[in-house]
Amino acid sequence: PAREAGTIRTSTMATLLLLALLVPAFVHHAGAFSAGDSTIRDRRGRSGASRHDCRRPSTTLGATAPSHRGGSIPPLPSVRAAVIVPGFLTGKSEFMPLARSLTDMGIPSVVVPMPNWHWLPCLGGRSMRPMLERIDFAVRHLAGVAGELDDFERTTVEGIEKSLEESLERSDDRKKKGGETTDPQLLIPNFSYNLVDCYQDFRNNPGGVLEVGGSAEVDSYPLWIPKGDFPAAPEPTGRVALIGHSAGGWICRAYLSDRNYGGRSYSGHDLVHSLITLGSPHGNAPGPAFKGVEWVNRERMDDGGAGGVRALA
């Protein structure tokens, strides 16, 4: 029964995510995170022609990405594929069932390739630079192989208007015929990070209760580069979606920003077209653990600060 319950929960979560990614009404800025009170604003797109041209077949969400402030990457097509970011003290293994469910439904999905102990340097509300490096690694590699995702069944722009039921029926038919969906996780290489690296990061990662580096405030973090050997990704060929669970959700917001976080501006909006967060703490609260949340809440996603990324919490 426990195994069946887990399967049902994974299937339900995957179905909800599929709905969020496919519903035509979920257009640019459909739901945006706000600063200050950290509420969610719903704003429908303007009437008239759709931002997406549904008349021509395509494996992308739109022709090109919107222009970004300070972006160094040329506009890229939006690919229906996703990177899943694990929540606090969880890792790749916990979210592989969700990734496989989404892939079976036509959205090739991968999980940031990390075990749960990689969170240890971030304990006590310290800098999330180690996690941001891992998110950036996974996003860049998936964006770099976007052209290879034609090997997987995906929903085209024409298919956006098809019902979820039809998508699930296609997935069931494929399983009944014995067809196996290739795992897109194989397209993301592993990176090198050992216990010595973790110990050094734990000692030097700034912020938190102990105010390592002199302050718990994000803008006062000293310049510091987390350990780890991350293989370079190929040039990006498309923008992907981000799905963040728990703390992974607000950390994704920091990744999308152009602002400097602990010595680096990630500007993830260049490579991401949509963000979905699941059970993420977006509200300000007292204590060092929420200094990062306060930092992301100084920027509204619908004020253009996140480069026009669609958002849903």
Side-chain angles (χ1 to χ4, degrees):
R3 184 180 303 170
E4 292 178 358
T7 301
I8 292 173
R9 285 194 296 270
T10 299
S11 178
T12 302
M13 186 176 294
T15 300
L16 291 173
L17 289 171
L18 183 65
L19 276 171
L21 288 170
L22 296 185
V23 173
F26 181 52
V27 295
H28 179 60
H29 288 158
F33 304 101
S34 71
D37 60 1
S38 302
T39 57
I40 305 298
R41 279 182 49 185
D42 291 329
R43 186 171 69 189
R44 295 188 178 277
R46 292 174 295 179
S47 60
S50 169
R51 185 171 66 96
H52 309 310
D53 184 356
C54 296
R55 293 172 297 178
R56 53 187 179 83
S58 172
T59 55
T60 61
L61 291 170
T64 59
S67 59
H68 306 316
R69 294 183 308 163
S72 58
I73 299 176
L76 298 169
S78 297
V79 178
R80 196 170 296 282
V83 173
I84 300 172
V85 181
F88 188 59
L89 294 181
T90 60
K92 169 186 169 184
S93 60
E94 288 94 331
F95 289 87
M96 282 305 298
L98 176 59
R100 293 191 183 105
S101 293
L102 288 171
T103 298
D104 286 343
M105 292 178 179
I107 301 175
S109 300
V110 302
V111 186
V112 175
M114 52 170 277
N116 53 10
W117 58 270
H118 282 202
W119 284 96
L120 292 178
C122 303
L123 290 176
R126 292 199 273 176
S127 169
M128 291 297 167
R129 272 289 306 272
M131 296 302 108
L132 288 167
E133 294 293 315
R134 286 152 176 75
I135 294 172
D136 185 59
F137 171 78
V139 167
R140 288 185 178 278
H141 276 278
L142 188 61
V145 298
E148 300 178 37
L149 295 179
D150 287 332
D151 294 337
F152 304 92
E153 180 186 355
R154 288 187 292 164
T155 304
T156 63
V157 173
E158 277 189 333
I160 291 178
E161 296 181 350
K162 293 182 179 180
S163 68
L164 174 62
E165 183 177 354
E166 291 174 339
S167 298
L168 293 174
E169 286 177 355
R170 287 197 301 271
S171 177
D172 290 340
D173 289 342
R174 185 169 62 251
K175 291 178 181 178
K176 290 177 182 177
K177 294 177 181 178
E180 293 293 334
T181 303
T182 306
D183 187 357
Q185 191 75 40
L186 298 176
L187 300 174
I188 310 300
N190 291 318
F191 58 89
S192 175
Y193 188 78
N194 56 42
L195 291 177
V196 175
D197 293 331
C198 182
Y199 173 72
Q200 292 180 343
D201 281 350
F202 185 80
R203 289 191 59 188
N204 299 313
N205 193 20
V209 177
L210 298 179
E211 297 187 355
V212 178
S215 176
E217 298 293 334
V218 174
D219 289 330
S220 298
Y221 287 166
L223 177 62
W224 170 75
I225 300 176
K227 298 292 184 180
D229 184 9
F230 299 86
E235 288 297 314
T237 57
R239 298 168 81 209
V240 300
L242 268 179
I243 300 170
H245 174 253
S246 187
W250 74 258
I251 297 170
C252 285
R253 294 172 59 194
Y255 175 68
L256 297 176
S257 179
D258 285 321
R259 292 183 295 152
N260 184 302
Y261 185 100
R264 181 177 175 186
S265 300
Y266 289 88
S267 299
H269 57 72
D270 283 326
L271 300 173
V272 175
H273 59 73
S274 303
L275 169 65
I276 297 174
T277 69
L278 306 170
S280 296
H282 295 297
N284 292 344
F290 282 84
K291 292 297 182 181
V293 178
E294 289 181 12
W295 187 86
V296 296
N297 280 338
R298 294 173 194 156
E299 178 180 16
R300 290 184 65 103
M301 289 193 69
D302 60 350
D303 284 342
V309 175
R310 306 185 305 173
L312 178 67

